[in-house]
């Protein structure tokens, strides 16, 4: 644990909440931010700054995610913005000096007024990760950070106009109902076969086959997305131990036993046998390196998307809304999640990055054309 980054998460909540509502059409959800940080280190401080009388419903979501709410009650006619900015900056600098074990600051805002704070934290030898909604983030802020993640692009963030109906809901946790296929994303029957129960399991206590299949399919989605996130955020190898530690950071109740496996290595062997991940010799015996297949499923899925767009495009492009249904009509049970993507929009962005299609914002939606 000593080699892990320790992260302080500070949220300019009004900036993110209004940005998500105005530009994405959905309420802000902390879970995608928390998952992205779990792939980078251990969050030891979580604070959000706002006049909470304006965000009553959001308070419940943040409290469930163990965020300390810093109240910035404003006097009539006073500026609501500056007080929160100043308090957040003061707390960041105080934390940097008093808690030298904190190595990284996650500054959640798109406000350029925080640029001097970012510079000062880096001067104090702290790594800074920024988060902001793309259309409400100043162009000055991202270059100042060591890493800047647009909230729009995080796994699990689905704009209101997106066709993806499988996005996670804004919930405080993931543990509830896991054994019955609870809350880790939608299933694709073709991705994972039913897992055999442990040999010593009580036959009378076995869940229904459909529940086991859905649960293990959600597991495949969770592992694939986590490996994908670790590959993007880490320059080193993703080993089984790193993967297990990250899964537990995302959900402290995670256990391979809940899915019928006696050891984490057995779980990985199961997923590898179904082409969800690949295992190779790691730096230590018994700690294999885990990767996602570079070819095969992902390239085949990209090709299917390109073929679908080619068949539907009448010269003006194909609206992203409804495109996933068209893909599924050509391959029953299609899902992007076991490929490491949190939403169909993210999957299309991956295909665009591979040069197979082009994704263009048009009005409030997206249009897909051939590259």
């Amino acid at each position: 644990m000593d080699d892990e980054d320790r992260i302080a998460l500070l949220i300019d909540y009004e900036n993110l909440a209004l940005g998500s509502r105005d530009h994405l059409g959905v309420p802000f959800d902390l879970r995608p931010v928390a998952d992205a940080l779990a792939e980078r280190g251990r969050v030891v401080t979580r604070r959000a700054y706002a006049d909470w009388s304006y965000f009553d419903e959001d308070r419940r979501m943040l409290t469930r995610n163990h965020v300390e709410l810093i109240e910035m009650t404003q006097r009539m006619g006073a500026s609501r913005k500056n007080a929160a900015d100043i308090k957040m900056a003061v707390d960041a600098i105080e934390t940097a000096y008093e808690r030298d074990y904190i190595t990284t600051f996650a500054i959640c805002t798109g406000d350029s007024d925080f640029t001097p704070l970012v510079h000062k934290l880096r001067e104090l030898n702290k790594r800074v990760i920024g988060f902001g909604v793309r259309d409400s983030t100043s162009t000055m802020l991202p270059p100042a950070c060591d890493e800047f993640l647009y909230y729009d692009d995080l796994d699990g963030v689905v704009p209101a106009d997106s066709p993806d109906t499988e996005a996670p809901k804004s919930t405080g946790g993931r543990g509830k109902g896991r054994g019955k296929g609870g809350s880790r994303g939608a299933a694709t029957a073709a991705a994972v076969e039913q897992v055999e129960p442990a040999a010593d399991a009580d036959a009378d206590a076995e869940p229904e086959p459909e529940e086991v299949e859905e649960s293990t399919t959600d597991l495949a989605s969770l592992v694939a997305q986590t490996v994908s996130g670790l590959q993007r955020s880490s320059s080193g190898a993703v080993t089984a131990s790193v993967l297990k530690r990250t899964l537990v950071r995302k959900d402290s109740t995670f256990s391979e036993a809940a899915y019928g496996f006696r050891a984490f290595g057995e779980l990985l062997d199961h997923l590898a046998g179904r082409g969800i991940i690949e295992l190779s010799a790691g730096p230590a015996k018994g700690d294999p390196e885990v990767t996602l297949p570079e070819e095969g499923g992902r390239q085949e899925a990209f090709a299917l998307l390109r073929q679908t767009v080619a068949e539907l495009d009448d010269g003006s492009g194909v609206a992203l809304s409804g495109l996933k249904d068209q893909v599924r009509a050509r391959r029953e049970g299609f899902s992007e999640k076991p490929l490491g993507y949190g939403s169909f929009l993210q999957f299309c962005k991956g295909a665009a990055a591979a040069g197979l299609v082009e994704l263009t914002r048009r009005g409030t939606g997206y249009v897909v054309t051939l590259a």
Side-chain angles (χ1 to χ4, degrees):
M1 186 176 291
D2 289 339
D3 60 347
E4 291 182 329
D5 280 342
R6 286 153 170 95
I7 303 172
L9 171 61
L10 305 177
I11 307 171
D12 177 11
Y13 194 77
E14 183 170 352
N15 182 277
L16 284 188
L18 296 183
S20 180
R21 185 194 69 186
D22 295 344
H23 299 289
L24 302 179
V26 294
F28 174 75
D29 184 6
L30 183 67
R31 176 56 60 182
V33 174
D35 284 352
L37 290 178
E39 294 161 358
R40 290 160 172 80
R42 188 160 62 96
V43 180
V44 296
T45 298
R46 301 184 182 199
R47 295 177 182 170
Y49 301 77
D51 183 344
W52 295 109
S53 63
Y54 292 91
F55 303 101
D56 191 50
E57 289 298 320
D58 304 57
R59 294 176 62 163
R60 297 183 180 90
M61 178 271 294
L62 292 168
T63 301
R64 286 195 299 267
N65 284 280
H66 312 290
V67 176
E68 180 184 0
L69 306 182
I70 307 300
E71 180 67 60
M72 302 305 302
T73 304
Q74 302 299 311
R75 299 187 307 275
M76 184 67 67
S79 169
R80 293 164 49 203
K81 171 182 179 295
N82 288 339
D85 290 2
I86 293 171
K87 173 61 174 172
M88 184 167 152
V90 169
D91 282 358
I93 295 300
E94 182 181 48
T95 300
Y97 275 107
E98 291 186 351
R99 304 179 184 178
D100 55 2
Y101 57 84
I102 291 180
T103 59
T104 303
F105 282 79
I107 306 296
C108 295
T109 184
D111 193 342
S112 62
D113 289 351
F114 285 96
T115 304
L117 171 63
V118 172
H119 287 314
K120 177 56 67 174
L121 289 173
R122 296 184 67 184
E123 183 180 325
L124 295 173
N125 197 30
K126 305 298 183 182
R127 185 167 182 263
V128 179
I129 303 173
F131 289 86
V133 177
R134 187 182 299 274
D135 289 340
S136 63
T137 295
S138 166
T139 57
M140 295 177 58
L141 188 60
C145 300
D146 293 288
E147 181 180 11
F148 196 92
L149 302 174
Y150 286 108
Y151 178 73
D152 323 36
D153 298 335
L154 298 180
D155 286 344
V157 177
V158 182
D161 56 8
S162 171
D164 196 322
T165 58
E166 299 178 344
K169 296 180 181 179
S170 298
T171 59
R174 298 182 177 203
K176 183 178 180 180
R178 184 199 297 118
K180 296 183 181 296
S183 59
R184 282 203 178 97
T188 167
V192 183
E193 300 172 3
Q194 178 180 334
V195 61
E196 293 295 331
D200 57 350
D202 185 353
D204 294 333
E206 291 180 4
E208 294 296 326
E210 294 82 358
E211 295 173 351
V212 177
E213 183 174 357
E214 184 178 357
S215 179
T216 52
T217 301
D218 291 343
L219 173 64
S221 301
L222 174 67
V223 171
Q225 291 174 39
T226 302
V227 173
S228 177
L230 287 170
Q231 287 179 331
R232 291 193 302 266
S233 63
S234 174
S235 57
V238 179
T239 61
S241 59
V242 170
L243 176 60
K244 174 67 178 290
R245 195 160 59 238
T246 304
L247 290 171
V248 173
R249 280 202 297 252
K250 286 187 173 185
D251 178 3
S252 60
T253 66
F254 174 83
S255 171
E256 59 273 9
Y259 298 93
F261 298 100
R262 291 163 293 186
F264 190 64
E266 184 179 322
L267 181 155
L268 295 180
D269 289 339
H270 171 77
L271 296 181
R274 282 148 183 80
I276 304 300
I277 58 174
E278 291 182 348
L279 300 177
S280 58
K285 184 178 180 180
D287 192 15
E289 183 176 348
V290 186
T291 58
L292 292 177
E294 292 298 330
E295 303 296 334
R298 188 177 304 190
Q299 297 302 321
E300 184 181 348
F302 284 166
L304 176 62
L305 173 66
R306 179 179 172 84
Q307 176 188 346
T308 304
V309 172
E311 294 174 359
L312 298 175
D313 193 356
D314 60 2
S316 58
V318 181
L320 184 64
S321 178
L323 180 56
K324 185 171 183 176
D325 290 337
Q326 294 292 334
V327 172
R328 279 181 166 167
R330 290 159 175 78
R331 182 193 294 173
E332 185 178 358
F334 167 83
S335 175
E336 70 285 346
K337 287 182 167 56
L339 302 174
Y341 296 99
S343 68
F344 187 66
L345 174 59
Q346 298 293 329
F347 170 73
C348 290
K349 288 181 177 180
L356 298 176
V357 299
E358 290 184 355
L359 191 63
T360 307
R361 187 87 181 186
R362 187 176 296 175
T364 59
Y366 287 92
V367 171
V368 185
T369 56
L370 294 181

